[in-house]
Amino acid sequence: MKLNCLWREDETRQCIIQDIRTNDEKKEEYYVHFVGFNKRLDEWITADRFSGGEIAADSSADTNKGGSRPRPNRRNDTGKDDGHDGHEEATRVKNINSIVLGQHEISTWYFSPYPEEFSRCSKLILCEFCLKYMRKPATLMRHQQKCTLRHPPGNEIYRKDEISMFEVDGVTSKIYCQNLCLLAKLFLDHKTLYYDVEPFLFYILTENDERGCHIVGYFSKEKHSPDDFNLACILVLPSHQRKGFGKFLIAFSYELSKREAKVGTPEKPLSDLGLLSFRSYWTEIILNVLKDYKGSTSIKDISAMTSIKVEDIVSTLQSLHLIKYWKGQYIISVTPKIIEEHCKNFQRHTREIDPKALLWRPPSKDK
């Protein structure tokens, strides 16, 4: 059954009730999906959001043909479903509507397996430095009097103007990395890594001011990847998106690969948005190489100069129609005019990495 519901800025939208629960304040909440919109806009609302300020008696029954209220998915402390419905069913209903992180209140997109006692609060409050989560502002105030962190708990390996990058080890800062993964899951639909953080390094991007280093986003990578993965997971918080930080993180992962004298590629499969971001970065870098390089060049040459894997270069050139398959091998087929036309249509990212500001050496192979 479709109901009219107050959405944003006094707009009314049609919605479908998918679940019901009682929140921390002992109020009944309804989990609704707005018809025609992405599921990341689903949210928990109270009855006063429905047209007329109440919900029809048979509306809740519509979510369960037996007439009783639908029971929320039961999960154990690890966030795994106790039944056999699988990951999709277990994460269908997001448990937290929004988070408060520093000066930002951010609407969440997806379910995240926070402990059960935190999963029924509509708004979760996080310490912006250690990412500890809590339910009440008063708890945050008490925590802030004790928390000594003013930056991620790792080595600062890059600083340029107001931007820093910190390398955090999943072994030495396990709790922080677990908190980071739980935070990231609120905005990543298919992320499954929550607690097994020891095999990974986390690279945290921050904006800095006199109060400290405030998290903007991050990417993670395996310490030892037999598949040449230089990035496992990437996130820019919604409050900082559309500012060039996504490409900055991607470029940073390749800058580390260059220091390691390796080619790299992101862990597959990529999400739709992830593929768009990487394809945009690969396109920009490859076009710049073809534009500036004098004489003939091969795909292997481009890979050696950029640390981009050959397969990713081929797929990018194919998307641009700049490659042909001839006599069993790929041939780059371009003219300066064609490259110039592509460059005109391509929006160059504004946040450049200064290699001189990167103070980092590859870890020893013995470690």
Side-chain angles (χ1 to χ4, degrees):
M1 177 178 179
K2 297 178 181 178
L3 299 169
N4 290 323
C5 170
L6 187 64
W7 195 51
R8 299 175 183 177
E9 299 179 356
D10 297 327
E11 289 185 64
T12 299
R13 302 282 186 184
Q14 282 193 324
C15 68
I16 299 172
I17 297 177
Q18 295 188 329
D19 207 343
I20 303 176
R21 74 178 182 185
T22 301
N23 65 17
D24 280 353
E25 299 175 353
K26 309 302 181 184
K27 293 182 179 180
E28 202 162 70
E29 290 184 327
Y30 303 85
Y31 190 73
V32 298
H33 170 70
F34 295 98
V35 178
F37 288 83
N38 190 287
K39 74 173 186 175
R40 71 185 188 188
L41 297 178
D42 297 356
E43 62 177 320
W44 290 99
I45 66 172
T46 50
D48 57 359
R49 290 271 299 277
F50 294 104
S51 293
E54 59 182 17
I55 181 171
D58 63 343
S59 298
S60 61
D62 192 62
T63 64
N64 187 323
K65 293 183 180 180
S68 60
R69 292 176 186 171
R71 297 174 63 186
N73 297 320
R74 297 190 179 276
R75 302 176 183 89
N76 57 30
D77 289 339
T78 63
K80 296 179 180 177
D81 191 42
D82 284 336
H84 301 283
D85 293 331
H87 173 79
E88 191 70 25
E89 178 62 25
T91 62
R92 179 178 65 89
V93 176
K94 68 181 177 186
N95 46 349
I96 297 163
N97 264 354
S98 64
I99 61 167
V100 176
L101 183 66
Q103 298 178 345
H104 302 280
E105 181 171 341
I106 309 170
S107 296
T108 63
W109 296 352
Y110 304 110
F111 167 87
S112 182
Y114 280 97
E116 185 67 26
E117 60 268 29
F118 297 92
S119 64
R120 290 180 179 271
C121 57
S122 294
K123 185 185 298 182
L124 195 64
I125 301 170
L126 280 72
C127 171
E128 63 177 322
F129 297 115
C130 73
L131 305 183
K132 179 180 174 65
Y133 43 89
M134 51 211 85
R135 291 179 290 185
K136 299 179 180 179
T139 308
L140 176 64
M141 292 180 65
R142 291 194 298 270
H143 170 78
Q144 288 174 331
Q145 295 174 358
K146 301 176 183 179
C147 184
T148 58
L149 280 182
R150 289 297 176 267
H151 57 75
N155 297 322
E156 185 178 20
I157 61 174
Y158 181 90
R159 182 185 284 257
K160 179 73 172 180
D161 300 325
E162 78 287 358
I163 299 297
S164 288
M165 289 290 293
F166 291 82
E167 182 182 64
V168 182
D169 194 317
V171 171
T172 57
S173 301
K174 183 176 180 178
I175 299 300
Y176 177 89
C177 294
Q178 288 176 342
N179 288 345
L180 177 63
C181 289
L182 288 172
L183 167 62
K185 181 61 187 74
L186 292 170
F187 307 102
L188 299 172
D189 193 11
H190 297 292
K191 180 177 174 60
T192 56
L193 168 69
Y194 312 130
Y195 298 109
D196 184 23
V197 296
E198 290 92 339
F200 292 86
L201 292 169
F202 297 80
Y203 294 89
I204 319 298
L205 172 62
T206 66
E207 278 189 317
N208 311 330
D209 59 22
E210 65 279 358
R211 293 180 51 248
C213 303
H214 311 277
I215 184 170
V216 168
Y218 84 102
F219 72 88
S220 60
K221 64 178 289 188
E222 287 183 278
K223 296 174 183 176
H224 306 288
S225 173
D227 300 306
D228 297 324
F229 293 145
N230 63 353
L231 186 148
C233 182
I234 183 171
L235 171 72
V236 176
L237 291 170
S239 52
H240 293 86
Q241 291 179 0
R242 300 184 182 277
K243 299 178 181 179
F245 289 122
K247 276 191 179 179
F248 181 91
L249 287 171
I250 293 172
F252 200 91
S253 71
Y254 280 100
E255 195 62 38
L256 297 183
S257 294
K258 291 176 184 177
R259 293 289 178 94
E260 294 176 299
K262 296 179 179 179
V263 296
T265 188
E267 191 171 315
K268 308 295 193 305
L270 289 168
S271 66
D272 292 342
L273 289 176
L275 179 59
L276 285 173
S277 297
F278 272 92
R279 180 61 55 76
S280 177
Y281 171 78
W282 293 331
T283 298
E284 177 182 344
I285 297 302
I286 293 169
L287 286 177
N288 284 337
V289 170
L290 294 175
K291 180 181 178 182
D292 298 335
Y293 197 80
K294 305 302 180 183
S296 60
T297 184
S298 68
I299 293 173
K300 288 185 178 180
D301 291 335
I302 296 175
S303 178
M305 287 184 277
T306 63
S307 287
I308 300 173
K309 203 166 187 178
V310 166
E311 290 82 354
D312 297 328
I313 295 173
V314 170
S315 67
T316 302
L317 289 172
Q318 286 175 332
S319 70
L320 297 171
H321 305 290
L322 300 180
I323 194 171
K324 294 180 179 179
Y325 192 71
W326 188 65
K327 291 187 176 181
Q329 60 182 344
Y330 288 104
I331 304 295
I332 299 174
S333 177
V334 296
T335 64
K337 184 178 179 180
I338 292 175
I339 295 174
E340 193 65 36
E341 288 177 355
H342 278 294
C343 289
K344 286 180 180 179
N345 296 328
F346 194 82
Q347 185 177 359
R348 186 175 178 83
H349 72 267
T350 57
R351 295 186 182 273
E352 301 285 347
I353 291 177
D354 181 358
K356 295 180 181 178
L358 175 59
L359 304 177
W360 182 84
R361 291 182 179 180
S364 171
K365 293 183 180 179
D366 298 329
K367 294 184 179 180

Short mmCIF file of all heavy atoms in Angstrom, two decimals, residues 3 43 67 113 122 124 151 158 194 202 243 302 364-365:
data_model
loop_
_atom_site.label_atom_id
_atom_site.label_comp_id
_atom_site.label_asym_id
_atom_site.label_seq_id
_atom_site.Cartn_x
_atom_site.Cartn_y
_atom_site.Cartn_z
N LEU A 3 1.51 5.26 0.61
CA LEU A 3 1.03 6.33 1.48
C LEU A 3 1.71 7.64 1.09
O LEU A 3 2.82 7.63 0.55
CB LEU A 3 1.34 6.01 2.94
CG LEU A 3 0.70 4.73 3.50
CD1 LEU A 3 1.32 4.42 4.86
CD2 LEU A 3 -0.80 4.90 3.63
N GLU A 43 14.33 5.75 4.80
CA GLU A 43 14.61 6.24 6.15
C GLU A 43 13.55 5.79 7.14
O GLU A 43 12.46 5.37 6.77
CB GLU A 43 14.73 7.76 6.17
CG GLU A 43 13.46 8.50 5.75
CD GLU A 43 13.62 10.00 5.85
OE1 GLU A 43 14.24 10.48 6.81
OE2 GLU A 43 13.12 10.70 4.94
N GLY A 67 -0.99 -9.53 9.09
CA GLY A 67 -1.59 -8.49 9.89
C GLY A 67 -0.74 -8.06 11.07
O GLY A 67 -0.99 -7.03 11.67
N PRO A 113 26.58 -2.75 10.47
CA PRO A 113 26.39 -3.66 11.62
C PRO A 113 26.97 -3.12 12.93
O PRO A 113 27.80 -3.78 13.58
CB PRO A 113 27.11 -4.93 11.17
CG PRO A 113 28.21 -4.43 10.31
CD PRO A 113 27.64 -3.24 9.56
N SER A 122 18.03 6.71 15.93
CA SER A 122 17.91 7.34 14.62
C SER A 122 19.15 8.14 14.26
O SER A 122 19.52 8.24 13.10
CB SER A 122 16.67 8.24 14.59
OG SER A 122 15.50 7.47 14.70
N LEU A 124 23.22 8.69 15.24
CA LEU A 124 24.41 8.21 15.93
C LEU A 124 25.45 9.32 15.96
O LEU A 124 25.66 10.01 14.96
CB LEU A 124 24.97 6.98 15.21
CG LEU A 124 25.98 6.12 15.97
CD1 LEU A 124 25.35 5.50 17.19
CD2 LEU A 124 26.54 5.03 15.06
N HIS A 151 44.15 13.75 15.43
CA HIS A 151 44.41 13.30 14.06
C HIS A 151 44.32 11.78 14.06
O HIS A 151 44.35 11.15 15.14
CB HIS A 151 45.78 13.77 13.56
CG HIS A 151 46.92 13.33 14.44
ND1 HIS A 151 47.40 12.03 14.46
CD2 HIS A 151 47.68 14.02 15.32
CE1 HIS A 151 48.41 11.94 15.31
NE2 HIS A 151 48.60 13.13 15.86
N TYR A 158 51.89 12.64 4.25
CA TYR A 158 51.72 13.68 3.23
C TYR A 158 51.08 14.90 3.87
O TYR A 158 50.12 14.78 4.64
CB TYR A 158 50.84 13.17 2.10
CG TYR A 158 50.62 14.15 0.96
CD1 TYR A 158 51.48 14.18 -0.13
CD2 TYR A 158 49.55 15.05 0.98
CE1 TYR A 158 51.28 15.08 -1.18
CE2 TYR A 158 49.34 15.94 -0.06
CZ TYR A 158 50.21 15.96 -1.14
OH TYR A 158 50.02 16.84 -2.17
N TYR A 194 34.40 -5.63 8.04
CA TYR A 194 34.10 -4.82 9.22
C TYR A 194 35.16 -4.98 10.30
O TYR A 194 35.65 -4.01 10.85
CB TYR A 194 32.74 -5.20 9.82
CG TYR A 194 31.62 -5.30 8.83
CD1 TYR A 194 30.79 -6.41 8.81
CD2 TYR A 194 31.36 -4.28 7.91
CE1 TYR A 194 29.74 -6.50 7.91
CE2 TYR A 194 30.32 -4.37 7.01
CZ TYR A 194 29.51 -5.49 7.01
OH TYR A 194 28.48 -5.58 6.11
N PHE A 202 45.31 1.51 6.03
CA PHE A 202 44.26 2.50 5.76
C PHE A 202 44.91 3.87 5.58
O PHE A 202 45.74 4.29 6.41
CB PHE A 202 43.25 2.54 6.92
CG PHE A 202 42.51 1.24 7.10
CD1 PHE A 202 43.08 0.17 7.77
CD2 PHE A 202 41.23 1.09 6.59
CE1 PHE A 202 42.40 -1.03 7.92
CE2 PHE A 202 40.53 -0.10 6.74
CZ PHE A 202 41.12 -1.16 7.41
N LYS A 243 34.24 17.68 -4.55
CA LYS A 243 35.30 18.66 -4.30
C LYS A 243 36.66 18.17 -4.81
O LYS A 243 37.68 18.76 -4.49
CB LYS A 243 35.40 18.97 -2.80
CG LYS A 243 34.14 19.57 -2.19
CD LYS A 243 34.30 19.80 -0.70
CE LYS A 243 33.04 20.37 -0.07
NZ LYS A 243 33.19 20.57 1.40
N ILE A 302 52.96 3.11 -21.50
CA ILE A 302 52.04 3.93 -20.69
C ILE A 302 51.89 3.33 -19.30
O ILE A 302 51.88 4.05 -18.29
CB ILE A 302 50.66 4.02 -21.38
CG1 ILE A 302 50.78 4.75 -22.72
CG2 ILE A 302 49.65 4.74 -20.49
CD1 ILE A 302 49.50 4.77 -23.52
N SER A 364 59.35 -2.90 4.05
CA SER A 364 60.31 -3.96 3.75
C SER A 364 59.58 -5.23 3.38
O SER A 364 58.53 -5.57 3.93
CB SER A 364 61.21 -4.22 4.97
OG SER A 364 61.99 -5.37 4.77
N LYS A 365 60.11 -5.96 2.42
CA LYS A 365 59.50 -7.21 1.98
C LYS A 365 59.54 -8.27 3.07
O LYS A 365 58.80 -9.26 3.02
CB LYS A 365 60.20 -7.73 0.73
CG LYS A 365 60.01 -6.85 -0.50
CD LYS A 365 60.68 -7.45 -1.71
CE LYS A 365 60.48 -6.55 -2.94
NZ LYS A 365 61.15 -7.12 -4.15
#
